[in-house]
Amino acid sequence: MTIRETGCLAGLLSSQNSMKKVLVVGGGGRCHAIVDALSRSPQVEKIYCAPGNAGIGLQAENVPISDTDVPALRQFALDKGIDLTVVGPEASLSAGIVDAFRQAGLKIFGHSKAATRIESSKEFAKEVMVKYGVPTAGYRSFSDFGEALAYVSSRPFPAVLKYDGLAAGKGVVIAADLKEAEEALKDMLLDEKFGKGKVVVEDYLTGPEFSFMCFVCGDKVWPMPLSQDHKRAFDGDRGPNTGGMGAYTGLPFISPEDEAFALKEVLEKTARGMVEEGCPLSGVLYGGLMKTPQGVKVIEFNARFGDPETEVVLPLLKSDIYDIFEGIADMAVGSGCACRIAPMWENKVTMGVVLASKGYPGSYAKGAEITGTEDVDARIYHMGTKMADGKLVTAGGRVMMVVCSGEDIRQAKEKVYSEISKIHCDNLFFRSDIAHWALED
Ligand code: AMP
Ligand code: GLY
C-alpha cells in the first residue's frame, strides 16, 4: 500500500468516526457561518464557540472566553477533549493560537503566527508578492514621517497609505490631496495611532474589486467561489466605509480566464512563496483583488475567511467542511492526506444583506427588540445580537446578515429582500442595492 493510499484510508476511517467535538474561535457573522457549515457535518457531535453570540448559541454552546485569550482557549480545548479547533479572526492567529495549540498536541485549523504576517504586515505581504512575481501595485515603505511626506508630495493623487500592521480595518487611507495625506501620515507615523509601525505608500489602482478565498495547505490550494463585498454604508456606494453591508457570489464581470489567472498567478504563487519563505500557510488565504485595465492585481491579503463574504460562500459548500478543516490541520503537521480535501460547490449563487443599527458605522443605540426572524425562510447569521429578558435585541453595529440562494442573482435578490421584510426592528437599516455591479448592464 502506498503512503497516499494509507492516508486515504486514515481519512476514511476518521471520517467514519462520527463523534467529533469542535471549538470555533470567534463570534461574528463569519463564525456563525462556520458554525452553521460545521453543524451540517454528520461527523460533528458538539460545537463550542468562544465567545460566540446569541445566534451562534442556537447552533453551538457559547463559551465566555475571549478569542485572543490563547492560554484559556488551550486549557478549554484540553479539558473538553476537543478534536479540532477552527480559528475565525486574524487577532487570534496573530496572538499565536495555532503555534500554542500545536505545541500542546491539539489539532487546529489556521495559520501559524509567522504565516499570518501575510495579513498582519502589509510590508511583508508586499515583499513576498514582489519576490515571487505576484501582480500587485508598486510601493515603497517608510518609517520616517518627513521622508514619507516628501515621497507622497512628489507623486500624483490620490495617494494610497497603508499602516503596516493590524488596525481593525482602519489602517488604509486613500488621500485625495496633500492635506489629507499629511494628516494620515501624522496619525500613523508621528502620533502612532495604531501603534509603532511603518507606512506602505502604494500606486493607486482602479477597477472592480472582488474577493477570492481559498483553502490552503503548503503549496496546495483549493479555491472557493468568488464573491464581492459592499464596504460603503449607503446605496450607490455612498457614505462611510463599514465592515461590509452585503455580499454575493456569481460575478459576471470576472471571466473564467481572470479567475484561472488569479488562482495560478496570485493564490498558488503566494502559497508556494510562503513555503519557500519557511512559513507555509495552513488555513484560508483571502485575496482582495482588483481587475485593473492591466489585469488582476492584489489589493490585500487576509489570512482568514472574509466577513461578510464567508456568509455567502459557505452555504454553497456541498462537501463536509469537517473533512476540509481536519484534513488541512493534519497535513499542516505532516500527517493525513490531501485526498480528504475536495471541496464541491452548489451550482447556484447566493446573496446576503446586512441589517445594521441606525447610525453605524458612527455611534448607535443598542437594545432594540428584533421580531419576526422565526418566520424568515433564509439563513440568518448573527453579527451583533443578544438575548435580554427572553427577547432578541440589537447589540452591535452590524446586527445580522440574511442570506438566500437562487439560480441567478436576480432570483437571490428578490428572495432576500422579501425575507428581510418579515424582520421588524425600529433601529435597523440596510442597503437596498446589494449586487448592483452584477445587475447593471
Ligand atoms: P485594504 O484594507 O488594503 O483592502 O484597503 C481598503 C480599501 O482601500 C480597498 O478595498 C480598496 O478599495 C482601497 N485600496 C487599497 N489599496 C488600493 C490601491 N492600491 N489602489 C486603489 N484603491 C486601493
Ligand atoms: N470583507 C473584507 C474582509 O473580510 O476583510
Side-chain angles (χ1 to χ4, degrees):
M1 191 180 272
T2 63
I3 290 173
R4 194 176 158 80
E5 283 164 340
T6 318
C8 290
L9 192 59
L12 193 65
L13 288 175
S14 95
S15 70
Q16 283 174 344
N17 174 4
S18 58
M19 299 296 282
K20 303 295 187 191
K21 280 189 242 166
V22 184
L23 169 64
V24 177
V25 176
R30 166 181 57 197
C31 279
H32 195 174
I34 295 170
V35 165
D36 185 41
L38 279 164
S39 72
R40 297 196 290 276
S41 167
Q43 302 173 69
V44 174
E45 176 199 44
K46 172 86 185 170
I47 308 173
Y48 296 95
C49 190
N53 66 30
I56 291 173
L58 303 172
Q59 289 175 280
E61 185 176 328
N62 290 331
V63 180
I65 304 177
S66 151
D67 55 20
T68 50
D69 189 348
V70 174
L73 292 166
R74 183 176 51 185
Q75 197 54 50
F76 178 85
L78 289 168
D79 292 346
K80 294 286 180 187
I82 296 292
D83 295 290
L84 174 70
T85 299
V86 177
V87 186
E90 67 276 22
S92 318
L93 297 168
S94 282
I97 189 169
V98 171
D99 312 72
F101 271 53
R102 285 185 187 151
Q103 269 161 22
L106 290 162
K107 211 178 268 193
I108 186 160
F109 173 84
H111 308 293
S112 67
K113 185 173 177 172
T116 301
R117 284 178 300 157
I118 198 75
E119 170 168 2
S120 61
S121 166
K122 302 269 185 202
E123 192 183 28
F124 173 76
K126 281 292 195 187
E127 282 168 4
V128 170
M129 286 188 260
V130 170
K131 186 163 170 188
Y132 297 97
V134 175
T136 188
Y139 80 105
R140 276 186 60 187
S141 56
F142 296 89
S143 42
D144 180 78
F145 170 76
E147 283 175 25
L149 191 63
Y151 178 68
V152 169
S153 318
S154 71
R155 289 163 42 89
F157 283 91
V160 182
L161 312 172
K162 299 187 175 184
Y163 173 72
D164 181 41
L166 293 175
K170 299 196 171 66
V172 177
V173 172
I174 313 289
D177 53 32
L178 187 59
K179 187 169 166 286
E180 274 182 37
E182 189 172 352
E183 262 167 41
L185 289 173
K186 190 168 165 294
D187 277 353
M188 293 179 192
L189 289 173
L190 291 183
D191 301 344
E192 297 177 358
K193 194 169 161 185
F194 307 114
K196 201 165 176 57
K198 290 186 186 174
V199 168
V200 170
V201 181
E202 253 185 38
D203 294 341
Y204 179 75
L205 303 178
T206 55
E209 287 180 60
F210 61 104
S211 309
F212 197 168
M213 298 191 286
C214 291
F215 296 105
V216 184
C217 195
D219 62 1
K220 301 248 177 331
V221 174
W222 297 269
M224 301 186 216
L226 302 181
S227 55
Q228 194 180 41
D229 182 6
H230 294 57
K231 291 193 163 117
R232 300 298 196 101
F234 308 129
D235 282 2
D237 297 313
R238 280 192 277 268
N241 265 321
T242 69
M245 295 299 292
Y248 66 101
T249 65
L251 314 184
F253 48 85
I254 303 298
S255 66
E257 292 75 26
D258 291 331
E259 187 171 349
F261 174 89
L263 179 59
K264 189 160 171 270
E265 298 299 321
V266 173
L267 293 142
E268 291 180 350
K269 257 190 189 171
T270 303
R272 280 200 301 276
M274 292 294 279
V275 172
E276 291 283 311
E277 292 300 300
C279 43
L281 295 162
S282 56
V284 171
L285 179 62
Y286 166 118
L289 309 181
M290 189 182 267
K291 182 177 170 168
T292 75
Q294 292 75 40
V296 172
K297 295 193 182 189
V298 177
I299 292 287
E300 66 160 348
F301 279 126
N302 291 324
R304 43 145 182 103
F305 281 109
D307 192 351
E309 291 92 331
T310 305
E311 291 91 314
V312 291
V313 167
L314 288 187
L316 292 173
L317 182 64
K318 286 199 287 188
S319 321
D320 184 340
I321 202 164
Y322 186 85
D323 279 335
I324 300 173
F325 287 153
E326 191 183 59
I328 289 175
D330 282 340
M331 275 176 74
V333 294
S335 62
C337 153
C339 57
R340 269 190 87 186
I341 308 156
M344 303 284 287
W345 303 94
E346 299 270 5
N347 193 19
K348 286 188 174 180
V349 301
T350 45
M351 176 165 154
V353 177
V354 170
L355 311 187
S357 295
K358 286 179 187 165
Y360 171 78
S363 59
Y364 52 84
K366 294 183 186 174
E369 186 179 357
I370 308 163
T371 57
T373 51
E374 59 288 351
D375 302 323
V376 171
D377 177 25
R379 294 182 190 281
I380 299 183
Y381 295 125
H382 291 234
M383 299 171 140
T385 61
K386 69 173 190 183
M387 295 303 292
D389 300 328
K391 291 176 181 163
L392 183 66
V393 300
T394 61
R398 291 189 305 156
V399 171
M400 54 176 59
M401 182 158 175
V402 181
V403 179
C404 288
S405 62
E407 296 305 320
D408 60 31
I409 201 70
R410 276 177 212 282
Q411 206 183 62
K413 182 173 180 175
E414 207 170 294
K415 172 95 175 133
V416 82
Y417 283 112
S418 132
E419 294 305 320
I420 284 174
S421 69
K422 299 175 186 167
I423 299 176
H424 303 287
C425 177
D426 287 343
N427 200 41
L428 290 180
F429 79 100
F430 56 89
R431 275 184 63 162
S432 67
D433 67 345
I434 300 302
H436 70 90
W437 289 292
L439 295 167
E440 283 159 6
D441 310 300

